[in-house]
Amino acid sequence: MSDGAVFAKKPELALAQHRFALLNGTSEQKSAALQKILEGIKADKMIGFYNRLVAEGLLQQDAKLAKELEQASANELAELDKNIEVAKEEHGDLEQNESSIHRAVFFAQIGEEDKAQAAYEEVLQRSTTTLNQKLDIVFGKLRLALFYSNAKTIQTEVEKAHELIDKGGDWDRRNRLKAIECVWSCSQRQFKKASDLFIECLSTYSSPELMPLSEFVCHGALACAVVMPRADMKKKVIDAPEVVEVSSYIPSVDKLLRSLYDCRYADFFSALAAVETDHLCVSRYLYAHRMFYTREMRIRGYAQLLESYLSLTTKSMADSFGVTQAFIDKDLSRFIAAGRLHCVIDKVGGVVETNRPDTKNAQYQTTIKQGDILLNRIQKLSGIISI
């Protein structure tokens, strides 16, 4: 780049996902993940990451491989150090900073987290570092924190990135930051924020180094499914060209969205189960929220069906969702008791009766109550003034 900026694409975030699969995946997923991890370690000379996985018991010690990785990483590091010396002797500050950033990126690439963070920070604090270089250093540190799921560092670097972008960041960096925030918001169960960011950057997504478009659409669409109004979901998500383009890669997510919109509740429950197996249980960003997510989606499905009726039989409702009456009765009871569904179950008659809250009356009662409080305060104040 002409401004000396270096956009870090290391470490490979896909390897962090493969590590997650080694810990939580099925036997088939673990086998595939192990192969991908070994390929990635060898390709990027990841001696630091290799040692960490051995210490965690996820990889077996291989003295020959470790020696090869150490030698290869040492050779490349020596070459990078040489480039820095050449830049000091023959070039200006811009090139010196660029060479130093390349060195920090290499530490990130091989899995030396602490050394990478220190190297990034050293360049960041230089008075000669340009705005775009600072931005890309922050993105590099953010990527490193994402790789190791360091929540505190991620939050800090996101805030720094916003500050720098407000000072003059270009469109590409703004868009990349939105994509990162979208995915990270999913991992923090902030689905409303994630859905807003997803809609903002979907049509201009340009962060394949974060994850492929199909995976980004998967995370963003699942966030939208929880919080977005039905009409908006059809217009902004289901029919979005970018979503349609990758729908064949995420069939269970596509089926979930379309069946919910089309009120095909049996297909909706089937798709929800597939989404849990295919995506929630294998995504390191969504795994911790898999039970919450499936619960919220069931509530959304029940509420959408009940909205159309004053009452309906539990048998009819069970048939609609393709489950037993016992399951519907137990599931609805939990959500009704928690105040999440506005209905009651007539167990004797086998009927579910809706009792939607009267919002206008509630607003009226709230206004009256607040008015009484205000009048009481005025009376007390007038008594104090008269004394």
Side-chain angles (χ1 to χ4, degrees):
M1 297 181 181
S2 59
D3 59 2
V6 180
F7 186 74
K9 296 184 179 180
K10 300 292 181 180
E12 292 286 351
L13 294 179
L15 292 177
Q17 177 60 45
H18 295 319
R19 175 187 171 277
F20 181 83
L22 275 182
L23 291 168
N24 302 286
T26 63
S27 57
E28 291 182 0
Q29 290 169 340
K30 288 180 179 180
S31 178
L34 179 60
Q35 182 179 351
K36 292 289 186 181
I37 283 177
L38 288 173
E39 291 174 357
I41 286 175
K42 293 175 183 177
D44 284 345
K45 313 173 185 66
M46 300 184 73
I47 181 61
F49 187 53
Y50 170 79
N51 288 335
R52 180 179 292 224
L53 294 183
V54 170
E56 293 174 344
L58 296 177
L59 289 181
Q60 293 183 349
Q61 180 69 48
D62 185 333
K64 181 180 178 182
L65 175 59
K67 186 176 180 180
E68 290 175 355
L69 293 172
E70 287 178 359
Q71 187 61 50
S73 60
N75 291 342
E76 186 160 344
L77 184 59
E79 187 66 28
L80 289 168
D81 288 337
K82 182 180 177 181
N83 292 341
I84 292 175
E85 293 303 318
V86 171
K88 289 179 179 178
E89 295 175 1
E90 302 179 5
H91 302 288
D93 293 332
L94 205 65
E95 290 78 12
Q96 291 178 37
N97 292 340
E98 184 177 352
S99 297
S100 296
I101 295 173
H102 277 298
R103 185 173 181 271
V105 172
F106 180 69
F107 278 131
Q109 172 186 313
I110 64 176
E112 296 288 357
E113 180 183 10
D114 294 338
K115 291 181 180 179
Q117 291 285 13
Y120 276 133
E121 191 63 29
E122 190 273 327
V123 186
L124 186 63
Q125 297 305 321
R126 295 178 186 175
S127 59
T128 57
T129 306
T130 67
L131 175 62
N132 282 337
Q133 284 180 334
K134 288 181 178 180
L135 261 171
D136 287 338
I137 288 170
V138 170
F139 274 111
K141 296 179 71 176
L142 185 53
R143 184 179 185 84
L144 198 60
L146 279 171
F147 188 87
Y148 294 105
S149 299
N150 190 328
K152 185 176 180 181
T153 302
I154 290 171
Q155 186 59 41
T156 300
E157 299 306 328
V158 165
E159 291 172 1
K160 287 182 181 178
H162 275 293
E163 291 176 5
L164 291 170
I165 284 176
D166 289 342
K167 292 179 181 179
D170 59 22
W171 169 86
D172 180 63
R173 290 177 176 86
R174 289 177 185 273
N175 205 51
R176 289 180 189 276
L177 182 58
K178 286 180 182 180
I180 291 172
E181 282 194 275
C182 172
V183 175
W184 181 245
S185 296
C186 287
S187 75
Q188 301 301 294
R189 202 185 287 182
Q190 298 173 354
F191 292 122
K192 179 64 173 68
K193 180 178 179 181
S195 67
D196 291 341
L197 289 167
F198 174 69
I199 297 303
E200 286 180 24
C201 65
L202 175 60
S203 61
T204 53
Y205 182 72
S206 58
S207 304
E209 74 288 341
L210 174 65
M211 58 177 57
L213 177 61
S214 59
E215 289 185 25
F216 181 70
V217 168
C218 173
H219 286 77
L222 290 178
C224 291
V226 180
V227 299
M228 187 172 286
R230 182 166 170 262
D232 289 344
M233 189 165 64
K234 171 68 171 175
K235 179 181 178 182
K236 297 180 179 180
V237 183
I238 296 175
D239 290 341
E242 296 79 12
V243 176
V244 174
E245 178 185 345
V246 301
S247 60
S248 60
Y249 297 101
I250 48 174
S252 57
V253 175
D254 183 61
K255 182 179 178 182
L256 180 77
L257 298 174
R258 292 183 181 278
S259 58
L260 179 62
Y261 180 79
D262 295 334
C263 303
R264 294 181 283 107
Y265 298 111
D267 290 341
F268 168 70
F269 259 28
S270 173
L272 183 59
V275 164
E276 182 178 13
T277 302
D278 298 341
H279 301 290
L280 301 180
C281 287
V282 296
S283 168
R284 68 191 186 103
Y285 299 110
L286 297 173
Y287 179 81
H289 314 299
R290 63 195 186 283
M291 296 182 68
F292 169 86
Y293 188 88
T294 53
R295 182 173 67 248
E296 291 301 308
M297 290 303 292
R298 295 203 309 277
I299 290 173
R300 176 158 194 178
Y302 294 146
Q304 184 170 295
L305 175 63
L306 291 169
E307 192 176 337
S308 303
Y309 301 92
L310 289 174
S311 66
L312 72 165
T313 64
T314 52
K315 182 180 184 307
S316 172
M317 196 167 181
D319 291 341
S320 295
F321 284 94
V323 295
T324 64
Q325 287 182 251
F327 178 89
I328 281 290
D329 185 72
K330 182 179 180 181
D331 221 26
L332 288 181
S333 297
R334 289 171 53 208
F335 298 141
I336 292 170
R340 300 300 307 280
L341 290 175
H342 302 291
C343 60
V344 294
I345 300 176
D346 180 354
K347 186 70 174 178
V348 177
V351 175
V352 180
E353 298 179 354
T354 59
N355 55 355
R356 301 181 188 86
D358 187 345
T359 55
K360 287 187 178 180
N361 187 53
Q363 290 173 352
Y364 175 76
Q365 294 297 333
T366 300
T367 302
I368 294 296
K369 186 180 295 184
Q370 291 175 342
D372 287 340
I373 293 172
L374 179 61
L375 287 173
N376 288 334
R377 289 177 178 173
I378 293 173
Q379 288 174 351
K380 288 179 181 180
L381 181 61
S382 63
I384 293 171
I385 293 174
S386 62
I387 292 173

